[in-house]
Every structure is written in C-alpha cells, then in structure tokens.
Amino acid sequence: MTLAQVIRRNGVLFVATTQGIAALPPLAVLLLDGGTTVSVVLAAALVVALGWDYLFAALRHRTIIPTGLTTAVIFTLFAPADMPLWHLVVVVSLGCVIGELVFGGRGFAFLSPATVALALLLLSLPDATLRAPSAAMALACLPGAALLLGTGLLSLRVAAGFALALGVAVGVTDAAGAVPVLIACSAALVFLVCDPTTGAVTPLGRIAHGVLAGGLVWVFSLGAPGTPGAPGPDALVFAALLGSLFAPLLDHIAITIAARRRRPRHG
Amino acid sequence: MTAPSPLAAPFPDRPMAAPAGSVALLGAGFPDLRIRAEAETGAIVAVGQVVFRDARHPSIAFVSPIHGRVAAIEHGPRRVLSAFIIEPVAGQQVAAPVRSGDSVRAQMLDRGLWPALVARPFGGPPDPEASPDAIVVLAAPTSPTAPDPATVLAKVLADRADDFDVGLIALTELTEGPVHLCVGKQWPRAVQDHPRLRVHRRRFGRRWQAKAAQVARAVGRGGASGRVWTIGYQDVAALGHLLRTGACDPLRTIAVSRPGGAQPETLRVPLGSSLGPLFGPVTGSPARLRSTTGPSSERRWSLFLGRHDVEASLVPDLGPPPTGAPLRPLIPFNALDRPLPFGVPTVPLMRALTTGDRDACARLGCLSLLPEDVAHLTDLCASGTDYGRRLAEILGQLRKDLST
C-alpha cells in the first residue's frame, strides 16, 4: 500500500499517529529528566484533551478520533513542570475547544490546539515560563523530524524559510553560532511552526510562512533574557501562532501571483 | 463472441484483426450529450455508418466502429446518453454510404471524427462552427503502462506512414492559429514543414506527461484562457486515413494490464470495445474493469473502452466509498504542493471544489482544466471528495453562467 493510500484511508488519524510517534523520543527524554512531575502534567493533559475529544464526538454522533493525544504530548514538551493543575486544565481545555473542536476537529481548524494552549498559558499567566529544550531533547527531535519529512507531513519549504529568516536576522555566521539557535528552536519548529494541518498550502506560501515565523521569532526575542541569539520558547510559540494565523493570507498572495502569471499566450 | 487472441510481442509487426466483441459509444466524456438516433435498436449498421447525432449540434455525427446490430440505447438522468451499444453480427459488410462535404471540417463532422476533438475549456467536442486559437496534438507518452505513441506509429501504423502527416497538415485548416505537436524525444519521424506547425519535444523520465501538461507546455500557462482543441495521435492518423482513402479507421491501439501481469499487453481494438472479452474469465478476489486515458486521468469503472482511452486494467474492488459519512478533512501533505498544469495551485483548488465555490475555482484557473486532469487528486485526498465529478459540476455551472 502506498503512502498516499494510507493517508487517504486514515486521514487525520494518520496525521495524529505520525505526529505522536515523532514526539515520543523528545517526550521520553523529558520523562527521564523530569520524572514524576512531567508524568503528572502529561497524564492531566491527556485526560483533559481526550475528554474533550470524546465529549465532542459524542455530542456530534461521530466516531472518536483521538487527536487530543498529540495536543497533550506536544503541550507537555513545552509546559512548565511545576504548573498548577487547574491552570493546565483551563488552558488545555481552551486550546482544544476554541483552537480546534469548534471548527470541526483536526484538519478543519486553522490553528494548532497545542500552540493555542501554550499561547493562552503565556498570555493569561504572566509568571509562567515555558520549558526551553535541552540539547538531548533537541537531538531526540531529529528522528521525528525525519519521519514527518518522509511521510510528507513536515514541509521542507516552511522549515527552510524559517531557518533562513532566523539565521539572517540573528546573524548566524558559523556552525558554532547555529547550534544554540537550532537547539532552542528544535521542538518548536518541528511540532508547532511546521504543524501539518495549519500551515500555508501553496509552495510560495509555505516559504513565506516559514520566513514570517522565523522573522517573528527574532522580533519577539529582542530584549528577552537568556542566551543572546537563542530565542526563548515563548517567542517561538507566539511566532508559530501568528505564522499559522497569517498562512491563509500568504496563500492568497501566492495565488494572486500565480494568477498574474497565467496570461493569455498562444504560439 | 470470441476472445481476442493476445499478441505474443508487446507490439505486433502488423495490425491484428479486431476482436469480435460488442462495442459501445459512451456518453462519458461528452458533457450533457443528448442524441438524435439515426439507427434504431435492432438495425444493422456498417463500419463508419452514422448511428446518431448530437441533438444540440446535429452536424456532429457519431459512427459505428464495427459492423453490427444496435443492441441497446441506454440513457442516464435527463435523457443524457449513457451508452449506445452495438453487437457484432456475422455476414457481408455493407459499405457505409458516403455523403460528405469537401473541407476537412465537413469530413470530420460527417464521418464521425469530430468527437475525437476535445475542446478546452469545458471539454467535449467543440462547437462545429468555432475556430480555436490553437490545436494540440497529444503524441507524448502519457503513462508507463500506456502504449508509447512513437512505437505505435513506427510499428503498428508502419504501413500507413503518410496518414499521420496528412492528418496533421489537415488540422491546420481548422484553425488560423498554430497546431502544436507534443512528442517525446524518441519520436521516430521527421515532421513536415508547415508555417503554423510547431513541434514540442521532450525527454520523458519518470514523470509522464499528462494531457493537460502537454497542452500547458504547448500553449503556455495562459493558453487555456482562450479556446484550445486537443486531439490524440491515433485520431490524427485516422483523419489522414479518411482523407487519403475515404475509409473509416475505427481501430485504436491500447494497452491491457492484468493483475499480476508483468507487462501490459498491446492490442488493436475498435473504439468503445467491450472490456470483458479483453480480459477473459475473471476469478479470485472481486475486481472491476476500468479504462483510462492515462495515469492521472479519470478512473471510471466501465464495461467499455471510452472514446479517448488507451489503457484498460483490472483492479481490485475496494468496495464503494462510505456514503453518509461526515466530510473528512483534507490533509495538505507535501505531495500536494506541486501545482497542477497551467500553474493552478493544488490544495486551494481542492478546497474550492470541495466547498463548491464556483468563483474561487474560476479565479484559481479551473477553466484551464478538465475533470480528467484533477481526478487523480481523489486518490491523494483523505476527504473522500470526488474531484473529477466536482469539477465537472462546477464547469457545467460556469458554462451556463457564460451562456446567459
């Protein structure tokens, strides 16, 4: 069975499963590091996200597609380990419901629920600081990135546009300067910025989407504390959110450009 | 009814006799074709005899590809032609009465070759009065399993070398614009010089040239905003044959792929041949017959070969698509990044087709495309939308808008 046939048959379930598998290695690294506190966050996020999935599926008389699984896992990758549980319940609920389920579920929404939940966490709870990925976690993202690339769910155009824009903006000149930036961006780039269902969909739009997100990361990390040059996770979350928000506009511009090129010509 | 004898070699040195199965002139591929029958059920018709005419344009005649008896005339919804079935009869073949004007246009109309032309936009045979901005002859290989046009002309039509050239030059009489010939690098023949004849050669690797891509290459991305007619290379040879000898050539070379078969088999069969005899008795898992014009074309389940089809295959039946299920989302994975021919963005067009947004489809350039150009998207999409059928509906609406 070809990849296209698998995707055709399983739809969003395939997307959620692949994304979930891709997120397993960094999650394992996190669990080894954080132990119980991370497990509690993960368990609570899973219960909340899957609970909303089940509730909406029941109310709509549809079969349940457990896309909340990836929402919870990706949320856990960034969530502060010491966050109060009621904060978690509120932001994950809002992320799942207003970010995804009110639009009809994964694939119909224009924002990734994990990104929405993290952005809400940062906006409504100013004291919260997201987890910056460690070098081990960044390395653990690589197999997942390869899997998503291989299945066509991670757009190389978005990733390349992002890396190019951020590299130019931060002023990366050599490999030594690129490593901390790459580590800081790793998980956010793979799981938030390059979300398969909420990005731009035209080739040109995808490059513009990546460039916009990369540029915004630089803008948002201006003046932020931390390693100079390496963007913080909150800058990455907001850049991913705005990138997805502007993706339809970028597509529209790309389509207009394509339509301009289609001029009558015979001969 | 006897099964055709399979050819030993992929390409025969000489054309083989047509297998004696029934044939059907299908309504598929001719949008809203309503007919005025000239032969009633039970009538005996000869090869090349007019059996019905297009009710909207009565000058467009459809002829019988075999000597046989009209077995059935089947209509679909709103009296649109579904199939005009002719079964073979033994006995003396009566020569078809020849009654035709002198011009190429009149000959094509009266002798049943006008339906070989496909008009863009909207598809189907063009208006008999109209003159296109350009004509594109599709002679590039369209798929790894379809017969290679260069080989067909070199081997199967070897003794009719001049037919293709005569047909090609005759096409220049239909238009004041250029006639484009799209061929692969292996094209065996020198092409005649003509001021309005342009040849587009291209090497083909793993990417086969879908029909729309050939047209886009020939006329440029903006070409389809004008009127472009396309015609297959075998129909061009048939046109040349008609003009040179006055005889109708209803045989076409097609490839037949059997499940598990190593190499597709090349057969020379009448237009609209029944697919059943080509495959013989089918055993094992449920399977359905289908015929296609190329890899990226419409995948119709069918019992007969379509007018423009060059491939027939037996594929596993995966059962009907789920009905009544809620719409599933489209997954914009990377394979859908590549734009359709004419630079039409793929995923935006799929979304516009799914929601039935006519204006958005027009803005995206759907008028350049035919349903067969987008049908392959159905196989790439998780939503279960039949994009070929959706585009046919949208094009029908746009056509109605334009005519009012």
Side-chain angles (χ1 to χ4, degrees):
Chain A
M1 200 184 271
T2 63
L3 179 66
Q5 282 171 325
V6 174
I7 292 180
R8 186 186 178 197
R9 185 167 296 182
N10 300 303
V12 276
L13 187 63
F14 173 79
V15 176
T17 314
T18 315
Q19 227 181 358
I21 294 171
L24 278 184
L27 186 70
V29 169
L30 204 61
L31 284 170
L32 286 176
D33 273 0
T36 345
T37 48
V38 177
S39 338
V40 171
V41 170
L42 177 65
L46 277 173
V47 169
V48 174
L50 290 174
W52 284 113
D53 273 349
Y54 175 76
L55 189 66
F56 270 76
L59 288 176
R60 288 176 171 153
H61 305 290
R62 295 194 184 163
T63 48
I64 180 170
I65 304 174
T67 53
L69 211 74
T70 55
T71 311
V73 170
I74 295 171
F75 179 83
T76 311
L77 291 183
F78 298 92
D82 54 351
M83 71 185 299
L85 275 186
W86 73 270
H87 285 182
L88 183 146
V89 172
V90 170
V91 296
V92 173
S93 295
L94 287 174
C96 285
V97 175
I98 66 169
E100 177 176 272
L101 290 167
V102 291
F103 298 104
R106 182 73 50 94
F108 292 116
F110 61 98
L111 292 173
S112 142
T115 313
V116 174
L118 290 167
L120 284 172
L121 177 70
L122 289 168
L123 281 174
S124 46
L125 308 162
D127 296 338
T129 45
L130 297 186
R131 182 199 312 275
S134 62
M137 192 171 142
L139 263 179
C141 288
L142 285 180
L147 174 72
L148 289 168
L149 261 180
T151 48
L153 295 178
L154 191 151
S155 171
L156 207 54
R157 289 188 170 91
V158 178
F162 180 90
L164 191 77
L166 187 61
V168 169
V170 174
V172 172
T173 48
D174 52 0
V179 169
V181 179
L182 276 179
I183 290 176
C185 295
S186 56
L189 177 62
V190 175
F191 297 112
L192 300 182
V193 176
C194 293
D195 185 83
T197 57
T198 61
V201 291
T202 55
L204 193 61
R206 284 193 156 163
I207 294 171
H209 178 189
V211 169
L212 176 74
L216 284 174
V217 168
W218 175 69
V219 171
F220 291 150
S221 54
L222 283 178
T227 329
D234 44 352
L236 284 157
V237 166
F238 285 123
L241 187 77
L242 284 176
S244 292
L245 213 52
F246 279 101
L249 178 69
L250 298 172
D251 273 338
H252 183 78
I253 295 170
I255 288 165
T256 311
I257 292 172
R260 285 257 169 85
R261 278 199 213 146
R262 280 200 300 274
R263 300 222 163 139
R265 180 157 64 92
H266 299 284
Chain B
M1 193 186 295
T2 55
S5 57
L7 303 169
F11 281 94
D13 287 335
R14 56 186 175 74
M16 75 169 262
S22 41
V23 301
L25 306 173
L26 301 176
F30 299 93
D32 286 338
L33 174 64
R34 292 183 189 81
I35 64 162
R36 198 174 288 172
E38 298 211 342
E40 296 307 325
T41 310
I44 301 290
V45 290
V47 177
Q49 182 179 333
V50 176
V51 287
F52 63 84
R53 289 174 181 275
D54 185 341
R56 212 176 332 155
H57 300 294
S59 52
I60 303 178
F62 291 75
V63 301
S64 172
I66 58 166
H67 175 224
R69 178 189 292 110
V70 180
I73 306 174
E74 290 175 4
H75 295 278
R78 297 183 297 126
R79 298 287 294 166
V80 166
L81 179 71
S82 176
F84 192 104
I85 302 170
I86 304 166
E87 58 186 21
V89 292
Q92 193 64 42
Q93 183 163 331
V94 196
V98 180
R99 178 187 59 79
S100 161
D102 288 338
S103 69
V104 173
R105 187 179 291 256
Q107 297 235 35
M108 287 182 80
L109 282 165
D110 292 335
R111 306 297 303 275
L113 266 174
W114 196 258
L117 291 165
V118 177
R120 281 173 193 256
F122 303 126
D127 184 341
E129 311 288 322
S131 179
D133 298 318
I135 294 178
V136 180
V137 177
L138 307 167
T142 51
S143 101
T145 43
D148 176 19
T151 321
V152 171
L153 274 193
K155 294 200 172 163
V156 183
L157 300 175
D159 53 341
R160 308 219 328 248
D162 296 334
D163 285 355
F164 185 79
D165 294 340
V166 170
L168 201 58
I169 297 302
L171 288 176
T172 58
E173 290 186 28
L174 298 179
T175 174
E176 297 187 345
V179 172
H180 301 276
L181 173 64
C182 292
V183 296
K185 274 274 190 242
Q186 312 298 327
W187 193 249
R189 308 170 47 76
V191 179
Q192 280 190 333
D193 270 345
H194 187 280
R196 283 192 284 120
L197 188 60
R198 286 169 207 175
V199 184
H200 304 265
R201 273 176 202 272
R202 180 158 180 193
R203 188 183 299 282
F204 294 93
R206 281 178 59 238
R207 273 179 61 180
W208 301 90
Q209 200 76 329
K211 284 181 176 179
Q214 292 185 42
V215 178
R217 182 173 168 73
V219 300
R221 279 184 169 186
S225 61
R227 277 176 302 191
V228 178
W229 296 355
T230 63
I231 186 168
Y233 66 102
Q234 299 200 56
D235 288 310
V236 174
L239 172 63
H241 191 68
L242 174 70
L243 294 175
R244 265 164 31 94
T245 65
C248 171
D249 172 22
L251 299 185
R252 298 291 181 271
T253 304
I254 64 157
V256 175
S257 308
R258 295 179 177 82
Q263 208 178 4
E265 199 169 47
T266 308
L267 296 176
R268 201 154 154 69
V269 297
L271 285 165
S273 279
S274 169
L275 294 177
L278 300 183
F279 288 95
V282 177
T283 53
S285 58
R288 297 175 83 167
L289 299 164
R290 77 175 185 199
S291 68
T292 57
T293 56
S296 64
S297 66
E298 227 165 341
R299 275 120 200 249
R300 296 186 303 273
W301 302 126
S302 182
L303 292 172
F304 297 94
L305 208 60
R307 178 65 179 79
H308 307 285
D309 291 347
V310 288
E311 283 182 65
S313 52
L314 189 68
V315 289
D317 186 2
L318 301 173
T323 50
L327 182 70
R328 306 201 305 165
L330 185 163
I331 310 297
F333 68 118
N334 289 350
L336 299 177
D337 268 16
R338 198 156 66 97
L340 295 163
F342 301 102
V344 176
T346 309
V347 174
L349 182 73
M350 290 165 84
R351 287 186 174 154
L353 286 174
T354 306
T355 54
D357 186 342
R358 203 184 332 176
D359 295 339
C361 286
R363 204 165 48 239
L364 291 168
C366 80
L367 281 177
S368 320
L369 300 170
L370 296 180
E372 64 179 64
D373 305 329
V374 299
H376 68 289
L377 296 176
T378 306
D379 289 346
L380 294 175
C381 181
S383 73
T385 309
D386 186 340
Y387 291 100
R389 185 186 294 178
R390 288 292 177 111
L391 182 59
E393 287 165 10
I394 296 274
L395 285 177
Q397 292 171 8
L398 287 169
R399 183 180 215 164
K400 216 170 275 175
D401 286 359
L402 278 182
S403 62
T404 53

